[in-house]
């Protein structure tokens, strides 16, 4: 009888995402033959695409597509499980093709995008094929289609982990690029203070109130301190109020005015923003499985 080691079980689990005890059983049945054990699990538990669908996909890329005249574009976030796959040529090609479909077909949401035709198959069928090929879950998370009032400028940073699409009316190509790069670096939450979510403002106000109250100053002074802090916050998180990253003597609002330009809208995507990344604890799982086996 072959000696089934913890390392063999771990390797098979990583290949198939099957439960650890199922991996051990399969290896035992296959007399330690890794390939045969994998085949056994495929029969029992299905293929990689089926198993991968339950895994958290918090890595990935931001893809953009802009028409030749710069008047229509799309920005899309597509996720996978590891940074390694985020650099895979097939994954990147799928991402680019999906972004182009968003621009040309104007789907209402991810579900509508998934049923569109992509090289003779639906986007969803192409996604499943890709999952089966690379062995990781792949998901189309979100997208925005932008019909520009002016001309679109884009910027992709950090291995496509940060993506920006900004609509610029007036100015020139260099200004558009500068604005897109600024947004990627400064990460504004909105265009102007009127668009900042009320919940974010209230949170900042509550924090400022608690800090100001500790000063022991009169209520009217505390109120002014709180308002000053909130206004400072609004300048820092709105594109119009931010200091231009390439010139600390100018706000973005002043930069646009100097170039007779305006920005109707922008989109900033950061891969995995707000998503919980899965952290495997193999040692803990081993102990839990051993404990369950001994009961």
């Amino acid at each position: 009888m072959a000696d089934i080691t913890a390392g063999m079980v771990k390797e098979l689990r990583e290949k198939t995402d099957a439960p650890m005890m199922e991996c051990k059983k399969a290896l035992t049945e296959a007399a330690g033959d890794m390939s045969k054990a994998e085949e056994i699990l495929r029969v029992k538990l299905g293929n990689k695409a089926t198993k991968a669908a339950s895994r958290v996909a918090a890595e990935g890329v931001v893809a953009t597509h802009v028409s030749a005249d710069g008047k229509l574009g799309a920005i899309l976030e597509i996720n996978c499980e590891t940074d390694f796959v985020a650099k895979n040529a097939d994954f990147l090609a799928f991402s680019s093709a999906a972004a182009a479909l968003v621009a040309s077909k104007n789907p209402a949401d991810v579900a509508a995008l998934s049923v569109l035709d992509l090289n003779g198959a639906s986007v969803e069928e192409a996604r499943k094929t890709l999952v089966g090929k690379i062995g990781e879950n792949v998901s189309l998370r979100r997208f925005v289609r932008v019909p520009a009032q002016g001309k679109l400028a884009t910027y992709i940073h950090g291995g496509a982990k940060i993506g920006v699409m900004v609509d610029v009316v007036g100015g020139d190509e260099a200004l558009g690029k500068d604005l897109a790069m600024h947004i990627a670096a400064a990460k504004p939450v909105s265009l102007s203070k009127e668009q900042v979510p009320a919940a974010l403002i209230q949170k900042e106000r509550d924090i400022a109130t608690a800090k100001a109250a500790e000063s022991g100053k009169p209520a009217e002074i505390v109120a002014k301190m709180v308002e000053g802090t909130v206004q400072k916050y609004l300048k820092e998180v709105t594109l119009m109020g931010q200091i231009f990253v390439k010139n600390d003597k100018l706000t973005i609002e002043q930069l646009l005015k100097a170039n007779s330009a305006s920005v109707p809208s922008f989109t900033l995507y950061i891969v995995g923003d707000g998503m919980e990344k899965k952290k495997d604890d193999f040692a803990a799982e081993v102990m839990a499985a051993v404990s369950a086996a001994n009961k």
Side-chain angles (χ1 to χ4, degrees):
M1 181 178 178
D3 184 20
I4 308 302
T5 67
M8 293 168 66
V9 174
K10 183 174 185 291
E11 181 183 350
L12 184 59
R13 183 181 181 279
E14 289 175 345
K15 285 184 174 181
T16 63
D17 202 37
M20 192 185 69
M21 293 308 294
E22 291 295 329
C23 290
K24 185 175 181 180
K25 290 178 182 177
L27 282 164
T28 300
E29 184 178 338
D33 186 319
M34 189 66 65
S35 296
K36 187 175 180 181
E38 189 172 347
E39 291 176 5
I40 291 170
L41 287 175
R42 292 288 178 264
V43 173
K44 289 184 178 180
L45 303 176
N47 61 22
K48 285 184 179 180
T50 302
K51 304 310 292 181
S54 65
R55 300 199 297 256
V56 176
E59 292 292 341
V61 296
V62 177
T64 60
H65 179 86
V66 178
S67 61
D69 62 3
K71 302 295 289 185
L72 177 65
I75 181 168
L76 171 146
E77 179 185 349
I78 180 170
N79 302 119
C80 56
E81 295 178 55
T82 65
D83 186 55
F84 178 77
V85 164
K87 299 172 183 175
N88 176 277
D90 291 330
F91 177 79
L92 293 173
F94 177 70
S95 305
S96 179
L101 272 180
V102 170
S104 63
K105 300 299 184 181
N106 193 22
D109 50 27
V110 171
L113 172 60
S114 295
V115 300
L116 293 178
D117 179 80
L118 180 62
N119 300 323
S122 71
V123 170
E124 175 61 12
E125 289 169 338
R127 185 195 69 83
K128 287 182 177 179
T129 298
L130 181 61
V131 171
K133 184 175 182 179
I134 65 178
E136 284 193 12
N137 192 15
V138 172
S139 62
L140 297 158
R141 184 185 183 194
R142 53 181 175 166
F143 61 79
V144 173
R145 182 179 185 267
V146 184
Q149 294 183 35
K151 193 170 183 178
L152 294 173
T154 63
Y155 178 65
I156 299 295
H157 180 74
K161 301 303 181 188
I162 299 174
V164 174
M165 179 168 285
V166 55
D167 183 4
V168 185
V169 177
D172 56 16
E173 187 175 336
L175 177 64
K177 183 178 180 181
D178 279 347
L179 288 167
M181 292 179 69
H182 170 92
I183 292 166
K187 300 177 179 60
V189 301
S190 69
L191 194 62
S192 64
K193 62 183 180 180
E194 290 78 18
Q195 297 173 357
V196 178
L200 291 182
I201 298 176
Q202 188 58 51
K203 180 180 178 180
E204 194 66 23
R205 190 178 297 278
D206 291 344
I207 293 171
T209 300
K211 287 183 178 179
E214 295 176 355
S215 68
K217 295 181 179 180
E220 62 272 18
I221 300 299
V222 167
K224 289 181 179 179
M225 292 170 62
V226 170
E227 190 58 31
T229 299
V230 171
Q231 291 304 314
K232 180 175 181 290
Y233 166 76
L234 289 173
K235 289 180 180 179
E236 292 173 346
V237 301
T238 58
L239 181 60
M240 293 298 105
Q242 287 179 338
I243 300 297
F244 182 32
V245 293
K246 292 179 68 174
N247 184 343
D248 61 9
K249 300 296 190 292
L250 286 176
T251 64
I252 294 299
E253 187 173 23
Q254 291 168 337
L255 173 68
L256 290 169
K257 186 175 181 180
N259 286 273
S260 301
S262 63
V263 173
S265 68
F266 74 88
T267 301
L268 166 67
Y269 278 172
I270 302 173
V271 169
D273 187 26
M275 298 174 70
E276 182 179 351
K277 295 187 179 183
K278 180 180 177 181
K279 295 182 179 179
D280 289 321
D281 189 340
F282 186 72
E285 187 177 348
V286 169
M287 293 305 295
V290 170
S291 176
N294 289 333
K295 287 182 180 179

